[in-house]
């Protein structure tokens, strides 16, 4: 079958049932899927998560930030920022995140399991951040979002730290 | 609704009458109007034609072929009295919530497993939300957990990515391995 015969909207409607991580693998199926996954996964993620994942990487000083930023902007440029009501919120959160100093980040244990590490990340960073940010986001809500798109987010933050590990 | 006055016959009575539907391979299907109206596209055509609807001359479906329309009709027959489905998504992740299918629906998709893309395209064109969203879910179920190679093989998709492009995707997907 030529995927060109299948409307893009239909493929995206199939992708809607899958998680971001599953979709990432499907980028390797063909050109059309690659394009639609990049575009679709960004559009389906809560936008604040997209923005946060970049900024969190900023905080961690992550080499992957460039790739992340490329992926995000590749799909829709920066136009969505100017065209959505989330824009102001984006900017505020980004600014707050930029100014946020992660307390004792060395204490994060990157050898723990997904769940443990996720909770640790929540306890040491998100919870505190959200409490200090006028409750714009409920920590639980943000963490829920984080769990979906943000395996990505957390992992990206971890990768360079892991790779810098002398072990 | 215009269908209630088509040919001057009230809706319940009209639903029991036959209409001829012609697919793009010139096959004629004689279908109860009540079944055909599961398709919003056909229903709109019936409404638009109103009084001028000639039940015997045929409603043309230029984008659907006979073998697929036959399968679609099975769905319409079973769902002619079914309520509209509700598409929901998780408010946080925006992942679509999975539908629970009946045994009949599960069997239907087992039977037509190799025609899922065609069914979805036909359902899309014919505007049959239940068939469309359920088929999309079945497609998602089929690709879930499979490798790109397996997916290409399963659906006969051409591998049109260069090795460089694949390498780049793997590089940016490094987070998946953690």
């Amino acid at each position: 079958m030529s995927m060109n015969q299948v409307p893009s909207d239909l493929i995206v409607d199939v992708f809607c049932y899958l998680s971001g991580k599953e979709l990432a693998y499907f980028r390797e199926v063909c050109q059309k899927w690659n394009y639609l996954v990049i575009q679709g996964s960004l559009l389906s993620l809560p936008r604040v998560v997209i923005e946060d994942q970049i900024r969190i990487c900023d905080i961690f000083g992550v080499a992957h930030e460039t790739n992340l930023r490329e992926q995000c902007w590749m799909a829709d440029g920066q136009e969505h920022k100017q065209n959505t009501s989330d824009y102001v919120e984006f900017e505020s959160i980004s600014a707050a995140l930029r100014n946020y100093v992660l307390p004792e980040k060395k204490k994060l244990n990157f050898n723990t399991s997904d769940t443990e590490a996720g909770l640790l990340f929540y306890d040491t960073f998100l919870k505190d951040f959200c409490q200090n940010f006028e409750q714009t986001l409920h920590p639980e809500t943000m963490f829920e979002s984080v769990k979906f798109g943000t395996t990505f987010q957390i992992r990206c933050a971890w990768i360079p730290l892991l790779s810098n590990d002398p072990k | 609704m215009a269908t209630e006055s088509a040919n001057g016959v009230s809706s319940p009575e009209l639903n029991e009458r036959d209409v001829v539907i012609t697919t793009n391979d010139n096959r004629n299907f004689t279908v109860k109007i009540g079944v055909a109206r599961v398709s919003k596209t056909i229903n709109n055509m019936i409404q638009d034609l109103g009084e001028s609807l000639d039940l015997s001359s045929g409603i043309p479906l230029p984008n659907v072929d006979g073998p697929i329309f036959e399968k679609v009709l099975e769905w319409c027959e079973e769902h002619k009295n079914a309520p509209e489905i509700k598409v929901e998504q998780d408010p946080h992740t925006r992942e679509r919530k999975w539908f629970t299918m009946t045994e009949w629906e599960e069997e239907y998709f087992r039977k037509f497993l190799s025609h899922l893309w065609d069914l979805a395209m036909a359902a899309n064109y014919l505007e049959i939300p239940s068939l469309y969203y359920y088929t999309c879910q079945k497609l998602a179920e089929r690709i879930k957990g499979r490798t790109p190679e397996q997916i290409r093989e399963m659906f006969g998709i051409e591998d049109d990515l260069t090795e460089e492009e694949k390498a780049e995707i793997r590089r940016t997907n490094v987070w998946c391995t953690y």
Side-chain angles (χ1 to χ4, degrees):
Chain A
M1 173 199 288
S2 165
M3 263 297 135
N4 290 331
Q5 294 172 295
V6 182
S8 297
D9 287 353
L10 196 162
I11 301 171
V12 170
D13 269 321
V14 174
F15 288 167
C16 284
Y17 292 96
L18 302 163
S19 73
K21 191 167 178 176
E22 286 165 333
L23 288 174
Y25 285 113
F26 299 152
R27 292 179 58 196
E28 279 187 65
V29 170
C30 63
Q31 296 273 4
K32 190 169 185 173
W33 284 36
N34 180 33
Y35 173 75
L36 292 175
V37 166
I38 294 171
Q39 189 185 47
S41 59
L42 284 176
L43 295 177
S44 66
L45 282 174
R47 288 196 170 93
V48 65
V49 173
I50 298 171
E51 187 71 6
D52 285 351
Q53 87 190 1
I54 294 169
R55 298 306 175 196
I56 287 169
C57 287
D58 281 348
I59 290 165
F60 280 93
V62 174
H64 279 259
E65 184 210 355
T66 311
N67 296 335
L68 269 176
R69 197 186 295 281
E70 280 170 8
Q71 284 183 51
C72 290
W73 296 159
M74 192 195 309
D76 55 0
Q78 296 198 33
E79 286 178 15
H80 73 273
K81 292 184 70 179
Q82 290 154 4
N83 294 334
T84 70
S85 56
D86 297 338
Y87 182 59
V88 175
E89 193 181 28
F90 266 0
E91 288 302 294
S92 313
I93 292 170
S94 301
L97 277 167
R98 262 196 298 274
N99 295 327
Y100 186 87
V101 179
L102 185 68
E104 301 180 78
K105 69 176 177 183
K106 296 288 182 191
K107 280 188 179 175
L108 284 172
N109 177 2
F110 296 105
N111 295 320
T112 52
S113 71
D114 270 3
T115 310
E116 285 169 328
L119 289 170
L120 196 59
F121 180 76
Y122 168 76
D123 279 340
T124 55
F125 177 62
L126 285 182
K127 199 172 171 184
D128 192 20
F129 164 70
C130 292
Q131 279 168 357
N132 287 326
F133 194 62
E134 298 172 353
Q135 301 296 320
T136 304
L137 292 166
H138 292 290
E140 291 79 7
T141 307
M142 189 166 177
F143 188 54
E144 281 304 309
S145 303
V146 163
K147 276 199 295 191
F148 170 64
T150 316
T151 306
F152 189 14
Q153 178 174 326
I154 299 169
R155 289 305 187 189
C156 284
W158 292 348
I159 289 163
L161 296 174
L162 285 168
S163 61
N164 289 339
D165 189 332
K167 282 184 282 183
Chain B
M1 285 171 63
T3 45
E4 290 176 354
S5 61
N7 285 3
V9 184
S10 66
S11 186
E13 194 179 334
L14 185 69
N15 284 345
E16 287 307 310
R17 294 180 64 174
D18 291 331
V19 63
V20 176
I21 295 171
T22 308
T23 51
N24 65 4
D25 46 1
N26 286 322
R27 280 181 64 184
N28 289 331
F29 292 83
T30 303
V31 186
K32 294 269 182 248
I33 287 183
V35 173
R37 288 171 64 184
V38 173
S39 156
K40 291 181 184 174
T41 303
I42 297 175
N43 189 40
N44 288 341
M45 288 178 187
I46 293 171
Q47 284 185 31
D48 291 344
L49 288 168
E51 295 291 341
S52 63
L53 174 65
D54 179 353
L55 299 177
S56 60
S57 69
I59 292 177
L61 288 183
N63 293 333
V64 185
D65 62 30
I68 291 299
F69 189 61
E70 230 171 338
K71 297 170 180 59
V72 171
L73 278 180
E74 267 191 53
W75 183 272
C76 294
E77 177 64 43
E78 178 68 15
H79 293 80
K80 62 187 174 196
N81 297 318
E84 273 287 300
I85 59 158
K86 194 175 172 195
V87 181
E88 291 180 294
Q89 63 178 17
D90 184 297
H92 298 139
T93 66
R94 302 194 190 173
E95 231 175 297
R96 186 167 292 156
K97 290 185 181 172
W98 290 62
F99 295 100
T100 305
M101 298 193 196
T102 64
E103 187 46 45
W104 186 94
E105 288 159 349
E106 291 288 358
E107 181 54 35
Y108 177 87
F109 287 116
R110 269 195 292 275
K111 198 162 61 169
F112 301 132
L113 206 55
S114 55
H115 299 281
L116 292 180
W117 286 109
D118 290 321
L119 275 176
M121 282 193 280
N124 193 21
Y125 167 69
L126 292 168
E127 285 187 71
I128 307 173
S130 58
L131 180 58
Y132 178 72
Y133 287 109
Y134 285 24
T135 310
C136 287
Q137 179 174 309
K138 275 289 157 193
L139 282 162
E141 201 177 290
R142 292 216 77 198
I143 63 179
K144 208 173 166 65
R146 292 186 196 267
T147 64
E149 291 75 21
Q150 288 170 328
I151 293 168
R152 279 197 296 267
E153 196 179 332
M154 185 164 55
F155 297 130
I157 299 171
E158 186 194 347
D159 183 1
D160 56 1
L161 287 160
T162 64
E163 285 309 312
E164 289 75 21
E165 286 169 325
K166 286 180 192 169
E168 176 61 16
I169 291 169
R170 284 179 199 135
R171 192 179 67 79
T172 54
N173 273 355
V174 68
W175 61 278
C176 294
T177 60
Y178 284 88

